[in-house]
Amino acid sequence: ALHLAKAQDGKSLEDFQKVYNAIAEKLRDEDEFDGYIGYGPNLVRLSWHVSGTFDKNDNSGGSFGGTYRFKKEADDPANKGLQNAAHFLEPIAKKFPWISHGDLYTLAGVTALQEMQGPKIPWRPGRVDADEKDTPENGRLPDASQDGSYVRHYFGRFGFTDQEIVALLGAHCLGKTHLENSGYEGPWGAATNTFTNEFFVNLLNENWKLEKNEAGNKQYNSEKGYMMLPTDYALVQDGKFRKYVEKYAKDQDAFFEDFKSAYVKLLENGIDFGKLGKAYVFKTLDEQDS
Ligand code: HEM
Ligand SMILES: Cc1nc2ccc(F)cn2c1N
């Protein structure tokens, strides 16, 4: 059965906006991380990785139980590099001990996306920390060396459509790959900390060459020094995916709208929020300055 979300006693929008603001202010303070990319992209990746373990067949994994806090999940080789995001969030968890880990990990991704000028992401609290025994086994996160049919099958486990898959992968406009984390090397040039539809524009406009990188892994490189994973490039090789790449390259608003919906579905997969009321939409720091 789905996990039942539980309201944190008496916490309301204002309380969660305080957590949002603490994360957002820390993002601004610690802007030098990873060559001045900052922690934003890393936090977004953490929010996806804690949700991407979900398996709709037995409703195991997913963001509900906050099991990333346990060694088995944090040490998954696929999570290499996310220690930075987890370390970034430790003081936030101490300052707001009432928030569950699942809510914190997902709220941090929402905060990072909005502070990087992405779309407003409606977010619902109510995830409840699970026991260590409920930690999903390693190996549930995707393999970057694969093709379009692999990507379609992989996301089929969550019940995502072709359109939702393409929209979600648009988050690869953010940050970069790091050889020591994943065996892929990203260029400094294209690493950004602003959420746009550039991933789709570059996929279609750059001249991509498949090359072996220093770790012996094949990746697509462009003359401008951009890179794409084989699973990224699969989106223009596969006709059904390509249609949505072209749509989002032309229409950033459509991308923002579809990304928002798919990202909420990713973060809430497997959770029954019942009648806990509607989602919160947080103000960005800039919107509160005035
Ligand atoms: C086929 C599915 C996917 C694959 C194979 C994949 C693979 C990867 C790899 C290999 C990296 C580089 C990690 C490193 O070396 O530090 C990466 C980074 C990243 N991924 Fe994905 N990813 C996928 C889907 C997603 C999704 C669905 C999201 C979010 C909605 C996402 C967000 C990110 C972000 C923001 C980064 C940059 C992290 C940083 O700069 O520290 N990815 N991904
Ligand atoms: C700019 C950029 N950011 C990413 C993140 C992950 C990935 F696989 C590729 N990326 C590219 N090209």
Side-chain angles (χ1 to χ4, degrees):
L2 290 183
H3 298 292
L4 266 180
K6 267 181 55 213
Q8 266 98 341
D9 51 340
K11 299 298 178 215
S12 63
L13 172 70
E14 289 68 34
D15 298 295
F16 291 104
Q17 182 76 60
K18 286 195 185 96
V19 183
Y20 176 107
N21 289 351
I23 295 166
E25 276 148 19
K26 193 172 164 67
L27 278 172
R28 286 192 178 176
D29 286 352
E30 300 175 18
D31 61 342
E32 75 299 331
F33 174 70
D34 202 14
Y36 284 91
I37 295 171
Y39 282 92
N42 206 248
L43 289 175
V44 171
R45 186 165 194 241
L46 176 64
S47 70
W48 134 242
H49 273 210
V50 302
S51 305
T53 57
F54 179 69
D55 186 340
K56 74 177 186 325
N57 298 314
D58 62 0
N59 198 50
S60 60
S63 69
F64 187 79
T67 50
Y68 173 89
R69 71 189 190 281
F70 298 120
K71 198 167 163 29
K72 180 168 80 167
E73 186 170 336
D75 290 355
D76 183 339
N79 283 333
K80 198 140 186 320
L82 292 179
Q83 291 83 356
N84 294 299
H87 186 67
F88 175 96
L89 290 174
E90 274 158 18
I92 308 289
K94 284 203 177 44
K95 187 172 179 190
F96 303 96
W98 48 265
I99 194 168
S100 66
H101 285 85
D103 281 352
L104 179 60
Y105 297 145
T106 54
L107 178 55
V110 168
T111 305
L113 282 164
Q114 293 196 178
E115 293 296 303
M116 291 190 284
Q117 291 129 61
K120 285 295 179 86
I121 313 276
W123 178 82
R124 291 189 283 190
R127 296 168 187 76
V128 179
D129 282 0
D131 299 331
E132 189 151 16
K133 66 172 174 28
D134 298 329
T135 306
E137 71 290 346
N138 290 185
R140 293 187 178 206
L141 292 164
D143 169 0
S145 69
Q146 303 293 318
D147 65 2
S149 49
Y150 168 88
V151 172
R152 181 171 287 109
H153 180 262
Y154 173 82
F155 280 100
R157 194 180 82 207
F158 306 86
F160 281 119
T161 63
D162 283 358
Q163 173 260 317
E164 289 171 325
I165 294 167
V166 175
L168 272 178
L169 271 164
H172 279 178
C173 65
L174 298 170
K176 68 186 291 290
T177 52
H178 309 78
L179 206 72
E180 67 279 12
N181 291 345
S182 60
Y184 292 95
E185 187 41 58
W188 292 93
T192 62
N193 50 20
T194 310
F195 196 80
T196 66
N197 66 343
E198 258 162 74
F199 171 75
F200 304 108
V201 173
N202 292 343
L203 263 180
L204 292 170
N205 294 358
E206 290 292 297
N207 188 5
W208 297 105
K209 282 214 319 275
L210 184 61
E211 297 175 331
K212 263 195 178 182
N213 67 26
E214 310 86 300
N217 299 317
K218 288 183 185 159
Q219 65 180 58
Y220 290 85
N221 298 317
S222 83
E223 285 112 11
K224 279 191 198 151
Y226 298 164
M227 66 77 68
M228 291 288 170
L229 300 169
T231 45
D232 293 326
Y233 194 70
L235 300 186
V236 285
Q237 291 172 308
D238 178 297
K240 292 191 287 298
F241 285 140
R242 188 188 180 94
K243 188 173 81 194
Y244 297 109
V245 174
E246 288 163 353
K247 174 181 174 186
Y248 296 141
K250 273 197 289 283
D251 185 345
Q252 173 147 292
D253 293 347
F255 166 50
F256 270 39
E257 183 55 33
D258 291 354
F259 178 83
K260 176 206 66 175
S261 305
Y263 183 68
V264 169
K265 183 171 170 178
L266 176 73
L267 268 43
E268 297 194 344
N269 242 336
I271 305 171
D272 177 356
F273 288 88
K275 54 207 167 305
L276 279 184
K278 59 183 184 25
Y280 295 134
V281 176
F282 298 107
K283 291 185 185 311
T284 61
L285 285 188
D286 288 346
E287 284 169 331
Q288 298 169 71
D289 278 353
S290 46

Coordinates of all heavy atoms in Angstrom, one line a residue, residues 136-181:
P136 N 16.3 0.8 0.6 CA 16.4 0.0 -0.6 C 17.8 -0.4 -0.9 O 18.7 0.3 -0.6 CB 15.8 0.9 -1.7 CG 16.0 2.3 -1.1 CD 15.9 2.2 0.3
E137 N 18.0 -1.6 -1.6 CA 19.3 -2.0 -2.0 C 19.9 -1.1 -3.1 O 19.2 -0.4 -3.7 CB 19.3 -3.5 -2.4 CG 18.7 -3.7 -3.8 CD 17.2 -3.5 -3.8 OE1 16.5 -3.4 -2.7 OE2 16.6 -3.4 -4.9
N138 N 21.2 -1.1 -3.2 CA 21.9 -0.3 -4.3 C 21.5 -0.9 -5.6 O 20.9 -2.0 -5.7 CB 23.4 -0.5 -4.1 CG 23.9 0.2 -2.9 OD1 25.1 0.3 -2.7 ND2 23.1 0.8 -2.1
G139 N 21.7 -0.1 -6.7 CA 21.5 -0.6 -8.0 C 20.2 -0.1 -8.6 O 19.8 -0.6 -9.7
R140 N 19.4 0.7 -8.0 CA 18.1 1.2 -8.5 C 18.2 2.5 -9.3 O 17.2 3.0 -9.8 CB 17.1 1.4 -7.4 CG 16.8 0.1 -6.7 CD 15.7 0.4 -5.6 NE 15.2 -0.9 -5.0 CZ 14.0 -1.0 -4.5 NH1 13.1 0.0 -4.5 NH2 13.7 -2.2 -3.9
L141 N 19.4 3.1 -9.4 CA 19.6 4.3 -10.1 C 20.2 4.0 -11.5 O 20.8 2.9 -11.7 CB 20.5 5.3 -9.3 CG 19.7 5.7 -8.0 CD1 20.7 6.4 -7.0 CD2 18.6 6.7 -8.4
P142 N 19.9 4.9 -12.5 CA 20.2 4.5 -13.9 C 21.6 4.5 -14.3 O 22.5 5.1 -13.7 CB 19.4 5.5 -14.7 CG 19.3 6.7 -13.8 CD 19.3 6.2 -12.4
D143 N 21.9 3.7 -15.4 CA 23.2 3.6 -15.9 C 23.4 4.5 -17.1 O 22.6 4.4 -18.1 CB 23.4 2.1 -16.4 CG 24.6 1.9 -17.2 OD1 25.4 2.8 -17.5 OD2 24.8 0.7 -17.7
A144 N 24.3 5.4 -17.1 CA 24.4 6.5 -18.1 C 24.9 6.1 -19.4 O 24.9 6.8 -20.4 CB 25.3 7.6 -17.5
S145 N 25.4 4.8 -19.5 CA 26.0 4.4 -20.8 C 25.0 3.8 -21.8 O 25.4 3.4 -22.9 CB 27.1 3.3 -20.5 OG 26.4 2.1 -20.0
Q146 N 23.7 3.8 -21.4 CA 22.7 3.1 -22.2 C 22.0 3.9 -23.2 O 22.2 5.1 -23.3 CB 21.7 2.5 -21.2 CG 22.3 1.5 -20.1 CD 22.9 0.3 -20.7 OE1 22.3 -0.3 -21.6 NE2 24.1 -0.1 -20.3
D147 N 21.1 3.2 -23.9 CA 20.4 3.9 -25.1 C 19.0 4.2 -24.7 O 18.5 4.0 -23.6 CB 20.4 2.9 -26.3 CG 19.6 1.6 -26.0 OD1 19.0 1.5 -25.0 OD2 19.6 0.8 -26.9
G148 N 18.2 4.7 -25.7 CA 16.8 5.1 -25.5 C 15.9 4.1 -25.0 O 15.1 4.4 -24.1
S149 N 16.0 2.8 -25.5 CA 15.0 1.8 -25.0 C 15.3 1.5 -23.5 O 14.4 1.3 -22.7 CB 15.1 0.5 -25.8 OG 16.4 0.2 -26.0
Y150 N 16.6 1.6 -23.1 CA 16.9 1.4 -21.7 C 16.3 2.5 -20.9 O 15.6 2.2 -19.8 CB 18.4 1.4 -21.5 CG 18.8 1.5 -20.0 CD1 19.0 0.4 -19.2 CD2 19.1 2.8 -19.4 CE1 19.4 0.5 -17.9 CE2 19.4 2.9 -18.1 CZ 19.6 1.7 -17.3 OH 19.9 1.8 -16.0
V151 N 16.4 3.7 -21.3 CA 15.9 4.9 -20.6 C 14.3 4.8 -20.5 O 13.8 4.9 -19.4 CB 16.2 6.2 -21.3 CG1 15.5 7.4 -20.7 CG2 17.7 6.4 -21.2
R152 N 13.7 4.4 -21.5 CA 12.2 4.3 -21.5 C 11.8 3.1 -20.5 O 10.9 3.3 -19.7 CB 11.7 3.9 -22.9 CG 10.2 3.8 -23.0 CD 9.7 3.7 -24.5 NE 9.8 4.9 -25.2 CZ 10.7 5.2 -26.1 NH1 11.6 4.3 -26.5 NH2 10.8 6.4 -26.7
H153 N 12.5 2.0 -20.6 CA 12.2 0.9 -19.7 C 12.5 1.3 -18.2 O 11.7 1.0 -17.3 CB 13.0 -0.3 -20.1 CG 12.7 -1.5 -19.2 ND1 13.5 -1.9 -18.1 CD2 11.6 -2.4 -19.2 CE1 13.0 -2.9 -17.5 NE2 11.8 -3.2 -18.1
Y154 N 13.6 2.0 -18.0 CA 14.0 2.3 -16.6 C 12.9 3.2 -16.0 O 12.4 2.9 -14.9 CB 15.4 3.1 -16.6 CG 15.7 3.6 -15.3 CD1 16.2 2.8 -14.3 CD2 15.3 4.9 -14.9 CE1 16.5 3.3 -13.0 CE2 15.5 5.4 -13.6 CZ 16.1 4.6 -12.7 OH 16.3 5.0 -11.4
F155 N 12.5 4.3 -16.7 CA 11.5 5.2 -16.1 C 10.1 4.6 -16.1 O 9.2 5.1 -15.5 CB 11.5 6.5 -16.8 CG 12.7 7.4 -16.4 CD1 13.8 7.5 -17.1 CD2 12.6 8.1 -15.2 CE1 14.9 8.3 -16.6 CE2 13.6 8.9 -14.7 CZ 14.8 9.0 -15.4
G156 N 9.9 3.5 -16.9 CA 8.6 2.8 -16.9 C 8.4 2.2 -15.5 O 7.2 2.1 -15.1
R157 N 9.4 2.0 -14.7 CA 9.3 1.5 -13.3 C 8.5 2.5 -12.5 O 7.9 2.1 -11.5 CB 10.7 1.2 -12.8 CG 10.7 0.3 -11.5 CD 12.1 0.1 -11.0 NE 12.6 1.2 -10.2 CZ 13.8 1.6 -10.1 NH1 14.8 0.9 -10.7 NH2 14.2 2.6 -9.3
F158 N 8.6 3.8 -12.8 CA 7.9 4.8 -12.0 C 6.6 5.2 -12.7 O 5.9 6.0 -12.1 CB 8.8 6.1 -12.0 CG 10.2 6.0 -11.6 CD1 11.2 5.6 -12.5 CD2 10.5 6.2 -10.3 CE1 12.5 5.5 -12.1 CE2 11.9 6.1 -9.9 CZ 12.8 5.8 -10.8
G159 N 6.4 4.7 -13.9 CA 5.1 5.0 -14.6 C 5.2 6.4 -15.3 O 4.3 7.1 -15.4
F160 N 6.4 6.7 -15.8 CA 6.6 8.0 -16.5 C 6.4 7.8 -18.0 O 6.8 6.8 -18.6 CB 8.0 8.6 -16.3 CG 8.1 9.3 -14.9 CD1 9.0 8.8 -14.0 CD2 7.3 10.4 -14.6 CE1 9.1 9.5 -12.8 CE2 7.4 11.0 -13.4 CZ 8.3 10.6 -12.5
T161 N 5.8 8.8 -18.7 CA 5.6 8.7 -20.2 C 6.9 9.3 -20.8 O 7.7 9.9 -20.2 CB 4.5 9.7 -20.6 OG1 4.8 11.0 -20.2 CG2 3.2 9.3 -19.9
D162 N 6.9 9.1 -22.2 CA 8.1 9.7 -22.9 C 8.3 11.1 -22.7 O 9.4 11.6 -22.5 CB 7.9 9.4 -24.4 CG 8.2 8.0 -24.8 OD1 8.5 7.2 -24.0 OD2 8.0 7.7 -26.0
Q163 N 7.1 11.9 -22.7 CA 7.2 13.3 -22.5 C 7.7 13.7 -21.1 O 8.5 14.6 -21.0 CB 5.7 13.9 -22.7 CG 5.6 15.3 -22.4 CD 5.0 15.5 -21.0 OE1 4.0 14.8 -20.6 NE2 5.5 16.5 -20.3
E164 N 7.3 12.9 -20.1 CA 7.8 13.2 -18.7 C 9.3 12.9 -18.6 O 10.0 13.6 -17.9 CB 7.0 12.4 -17.7 CG 5.5 12.8 -17.6 CD 4.6 11.9 -16.7 OE1 4.8 10.6 -16.8 OE2 3.8 12.4 -16.0
I165 N 9.7 11.8 -19.2 CA 11.1 11.4 -19.2 C 12.0 12.6 -19.8 O 13.0 13.0 -19.2 CB 11.4 10.1 -19.9 CG1 10.6 9.0 -19.3 CG2 12.9 9.8 -20.1 CD1 10.6 7.7 -20.1
V166 N 11.6 13.0 -21.0 CA 12.4 14.1 -21.6 C 12.4 15.4 -20.8 O 13.4 16.0 -20.6 CB 11.8 14.4 -23.1 CG1 12.6 15.6 -23.7 CG2 11.9 13.2 -23.9
A167 N 11.2 15.7 -20.3 CA 11.1 16.9 -19.4 C 12.1 16.8 -18.2 O 12.9 17.7 -17.9 CB 9.7 17.2 -18.9
L168 N 12.0 15.7 -17.5 CA 12.9 15.4 -16.3 C 14.3 15.6 -16.6 O 15.1 16.2 -15.9 CB 12.6 14.1 -15.7 CG 11.5 13.9 -14.7 CD1 11.3 12.5 -14.3 CD2 11.7 14.8 -13.5
L169 N 14.8 15.0 -17.8 CA 16.2 15.0 -18.1 C 16.7 16.5 -18.4 O 17.9 16.7 -18.5 CB 16.5 14.1 -19.2 CG 16.8 12.7 -18.7 CD1 16.7 11.6 -19.7 CD2 18.2 12.7 -18.0
G170 N 15.7 17.4 -18.6 CA 16.1 18.8 -18.9 C 16.9 19.4 -17.7 O 17.5 20.4 -17.8
A171 N 16.8 18.7 -16.5 CA 17.6 19.2 -15.4 C 19.1 19.0 -15.6 O 19.9 19.6 -14.9 CB 17.2 18.3 -14.1
H172 N 19.5 18.3 -16.7 CA 20.9 18.3 -17.0 C 21.4 19.5 -17.7 O 22.5 19.6 -18.2 CB 21.2 17.0 -17.9 CG 21.3 15.8 -17.1 ND1 21.5 14.6 -17.6 CD2 21.3 15.6 -15.7 CE1 21.6 13.6 -16.7 NE2 21.5 14.2 -15.5
C173 N 20.6 20.6 -17.6 CA 21.1 21.9 -17.9 C 22.0 22.4 -16.7 O 22.8 23.3 -16.9 CB 20.0 22.9 -18.1 SG 19.0 23.2 -16.6
L174 N 21.8 21.8 -15.6 CA 22.4 22.3 -14.3 C 23.7 21.5 -14.0 O 23.9 20.3 -14.3 CB 21.5 22.0 -13.1 CG 20.2 22.8 -13.2 CD1 19.3 22.3 -12.1 CD2 20.4 24.3 -13.1
G175 N 24.7 22.2 -13.4 CA 25.9 21.6 -12.9 C 26.7 20.9 -13.9 O 26.8 21.3 -15.1
K176 N 27.4 19.8 -13.5 CA 28.3 19.1 -14.4 C 28.5 17.7 -14.0 O 28.1 17.3 -12.9 CB 29.6 19.9 -14.5 CG 30.5 19.8 -13.2 CD 31.7 20.7 -13.3 CE 32.7 20.2 -14.3 NZ 33.4 19.0 -13.8
T177 N 29.2 16.9 -14.8 CA 29.7 15.6 -14.5 C 31.1 15.7 -13.9 O 31.8 16.6 -14.3 CB 29.7 14.7 -15.7 OG1 30.4 15.3 -16.7 CG2 28.3 14.4 -16.2
H178 N 31.4 14.8 -13.0 CA 32.8 14.9 -12.4 C 33.4 13.5 -12.5 O 32.8 12.5 -12.0 CB 32.7 15.3 -10.9 CG 31.8 16.5 -10.6 ND1 30.5 16.5 -10.6 CD2 32.2 17.8 -10.3 CE1 30.0 17.7 -10.3 NE2 31.1 18.5 -10.1
L179 N 34.5 13.4 -13.1 CA 35.2 12.1 -13.4 C 35.3 11.3 -12.2 O 34.9 10.1 -12.2 CB 36.6 12.3 -14.0 CG 37.0 11.2 -14.9 CD1 36.3 11.2 -16.3 CD2 38.5 11.3 -15.2
E180 N 35.6 11.9 -11.0 CA 35.8 11.1 -9.8 C 34.5 10.6 -9.2 O 34.5 9.7 -8.4 CB 36.6 11.9 -8.8 CG 35.9 13.1 -8.2 CD 35.9 14.3 -9.1 OE1 36.3 14.2 -10.3 OE2 35.5 15.4 -8.6
N181 N 33.4 11.2 -9.7 CA 32.1 10.7 -9.1 C 31.5 9.6 -10.0 O 31.1 8.6 -9.5 CB 31.1 11.9 -9.1 CG 31.4 12.9 -8.0 OD1 32.3 12.7 -7.2 ND2 30.8 14.1 -8.1

